[in-house]
Amino acid sequence: MLFDPQSADVEFEASGQRSYERASRTATEHRPAAGFLSVPKLGGVVPNAVLRRPHTHDYRRVVFRHFQTGVLRADDVTSPVDAGDAFAQAFHAWLDRECPKFERLEFQFVLLDAQAVRVDVEIAGNGHGLDVASPLYLGLELSNESFHSIGDRVDSIRRTHPRLMATAVSLIDEASRRTVYVRTPDEFLDMFARWYWNGSSDCTDEEATEELKDRFGEDFEEFHRYMPSAVRPILCPDDARPFRYDASVMRWRKAPVLGAPALERLSLEGDKAARGLCRELLQLKSLLAGAKRRRGFRNQTRNLFGLEAWGNSLFPAATLAMNEDQLVGQLLDDHYNCEMQGGEYTYFQGFAPFATEARAIRRQFADWRHALRVLGSLDRVLTLISS
């Protein structure tokens, strides 16, 4: 383990209304938290950390290379206890310079050694375990339900352009896949479909009726509010779905979205909120296009942080729902109850090994710098689109 532990049970709150308590203890809670260092709220004051671990040759070499390449600065370090302390201070000083402040996203960067990562990967049920690529890892910790809803803002968005909502959720979805996990309205529809419609979020009322009769009986009054035609407008209307299944060709298709010229035009028209949203969508679109041009990132599903081990995170960095509705609350309750009973979850989205060679180190920090810019734009879009 790397850093002094923090061992306290935590209660999680969503929008101040709903709490989810940890039903089982993960490896993160069992281990001495000399296993990690957390950075609260990213952009606030960064604490120093002390590395409590014997200095192996590989460990010292990785720390030395990061200072030697210049990505970490020696003048950011004050009275280090050892090489690990120096690394932690310098890395978090780098984060303070590069990381924007967030209003919607909630997550933390955590420094871990390979053994700490291995335990969490095993807890998450990833059977093959960890293929160790570095003695040091960067973890993305998601430890809270940060809930936000679009609510009344949907009317302004739809008045501005019929495809603006689809454009926003599509870019949010792509940015999420590239960086940190954000739960979007289509995920609530998928949850509901798994519970009530035999898993198909595109099913018709006729197709859902038999499933609902098995569950509620023959009385239509008992189950009509669970029909697709009643639920979709509440959880995820068609213009909030980034993908739709095309049964005629048996494949998923992206929703039609606005291009850069249309967004530029709309950024000069309509009300102030809609103009601001269009400007930020343009920025996010440009940053995501830049991500595709980065070496090794043409695959649209590859994470910009270079996560190579996955933690089956219980929470997202943010949840975006159409409305703060009773149905949404029930789905979240059912989801967390189910996950907690299964027990194969952690509070980490994933883990990225720190590069060990000079050229790879420079490229990795450049990729992380770009990822942080994407996150800053993603957070601003979420702030503009939600209440």
Side-chain angles (χ1 to χ4, degrees):
M1 302 306 174
L2 295 188
F3 303 101
D4 286 337
Q6 303 164 357
S7 57
D9 290 338
V10 182
E11 181 180 90
F12 302 109
E13 296 183 357
S15 297
Q17 298 181 358
R18 177 169 274 99
S19 66
Y20 303 97
E21 295 186 9
R22 299 187 184 189
S24 63
R25 302 181 69 81
T26 66
T28 307
E29 296 171 290
H30 280 301
R31 61 182 178 233
F36 57 84
L37 166 69
S38 298
V39 187
K41 296 291 183 184
L42 295 180
V45 176
V46 179
N48 290 338
V50 178
L51 177 66
R52 301 191 186 280
R53 180 180 176 85
H55 288 181
T56 65
H57 174 72
D58 284 346
Y59 194 85
R60 291 198 308 270
R61 184 173 66 86
V62 171
V63 171
F64 174 73
R65 283 285 174 83
H66 278 75
F67 284 100
Q68 186 183 47
T69 58
V71 296
L72 298 184
R73 302 176 185 175
D75 57 6
D76 287 326
V77 180
T78 303
S79 303
V81 175
D82 51 31
D85 185 22
F87 184 86
Q89 289 188 43
F91 180 71
H92 290 300
W94 179 85
L95 272 180
D96 258 0
R97 287 190 294 270
E98 301 293 340
C99 195
K101 293 184 179 180
F102 300 122
E103 294 187 34
R104 294 291 188 262
L105 297 171
E106 290 190 19
F107 68 98
Q108 296 177 343
F109 288 120
V110 177
L111 302 177
L112 306 98
D113 66 4
Q115 178 57 30
V117 173
R118 180 182 284 111
V119 173
D120 269 311
V121 169
E122 290 174 357
I123 287 285
N126 296 329
H128 66 280
L130 177 69
D131 184 12
V132 177
S134 173
L136 281 175
Y137 280 76
L138 179 67
L140 289 181
E141 185 183 42
L142 315 178
S143 60
N144 194 21
E145 176 67 63
S146 174
F147 182 92
H148 307 280
S149 63
I150 298 172
D152 293 339
R153 298 192 182 188
V154 70
D155 295 329
S156 171
I157 294 169
R158 286 171 173 160
R159 281 197 305 269
T160 302
H161 196 284
R163 290 185 179 178
L164 184 55
M165 176 62 74
T167 303
V169 294
S170 293
L171 287 171
I172 290 169
D173 179 73
E174 184 179 349
S176 170
R177 285 184 281 115
R178 288 289 197 178
T179 54
V180 297
Y181 166 40
V182 175
R183 181 185 288 121
T184 47
D186 61 301
E187 189 169 337
F188 286 103
L189 187 61
D190 288 340
M191 285 183 196
F192 194 94
R194 289 194 295 271
W195 281 104
Y196 295 100
W197 304 334
N198 200 26
S200 174
S201 59
D202 287 292
C203 72
T204 63
D205 282 0
E206 291 73 18
E207 292 167 338
T209 296
E210 291 306 312
E211 291 288 329
L212 293 172
K213 282 182 178 180
D214 289 342
R215 186 163 188 154
F216 296 101
E218 296 288 333
D219 188 355
F220 179 76
E221 292 301 316
E222 287 291 320
F223 63 78
H224 74 278
R225 67 181 184 277
Y226 295 96
M227 300 283 273
S229 60
V231 172
R232 281 199 195 101
I234 297 172
L235 294 181
C236 185
D238 287 346
D239 62 354
R241 301 182 71 180
F243 293 91
R244 292 291 302 274
Y245 186 72
D246 187 341
S248 65
V249 293
M250 292 186 294
R251 60 181 292 186
W252 291 90
R253 293 188 182 277
K254 291 189 69 172
V257 298
L258 299 171
L263 286 172
E264 288 176 359
R265 176 175 55 79
L266 292 172
S267 69
L268 303 174
E269 302 174 356
D271 61 40
K272 182 179 179 180
R275 293 198 305 270
L277 176 61
C278 291
R279 284 194 295 270
E280 199 55 56
L281 289 173
L282 271 171
Q283 175 71 6
L284 182 56
K285 189 178 185 70
S286 174
L287 288 168
L288 291 170
K292 295 173 189 176
R293 293 192 294 270
R294 302 192 70 79
R295 181 174 178 176
F297 289 95
R298 291 187 182 278
N299 181 344
Q300 292 188 19
T301 63
R302 186 175 176 190
N303 189 280
L304 281 166
F305 287 109
L307 303 181
E308 293 186 4
W310 301 92
N312 190 27
S313 173
L314 181 64
F315 295 106
T319 289
L320 179 68
M322 291 303 297
N323 295 284
E324 195 165 351
D325 183 86
Q326 181 180 357
L327 182 57
V328 169
Q330 184 60 53
L331 286 170
L332 285 176
D333 285 341
D334 292 342
H335 169 71
Y336 286 121
N337 287 336
C338 190
E339 289 291 318
M340 288 175 173
Q341 288 171 14
E344 292 186 344
Y345 67 87
T346 72
Y347 300 96
F348 287 94
Q349 177 175 330
F351 310 91
F354 276 89
T356 58
E357 301 301 329
R359 189 172 183 179
I361 289 170
R362 294 189 189 96
R363 184 182 304 131
Q364 183 176 61
F365 272 69
D367 290 338
W368 288 352
R369 186 178 291 111
H370 192 83
L372 292 172
R373 293 182 65 199
V374 172
L375 282 174
S377 183
L378 171 60
D379 185 78
R380 290 189 293 274
V381 168
L382 290 170
T383 301
L384 289 165
I385 204 175
S386 68
S387 54

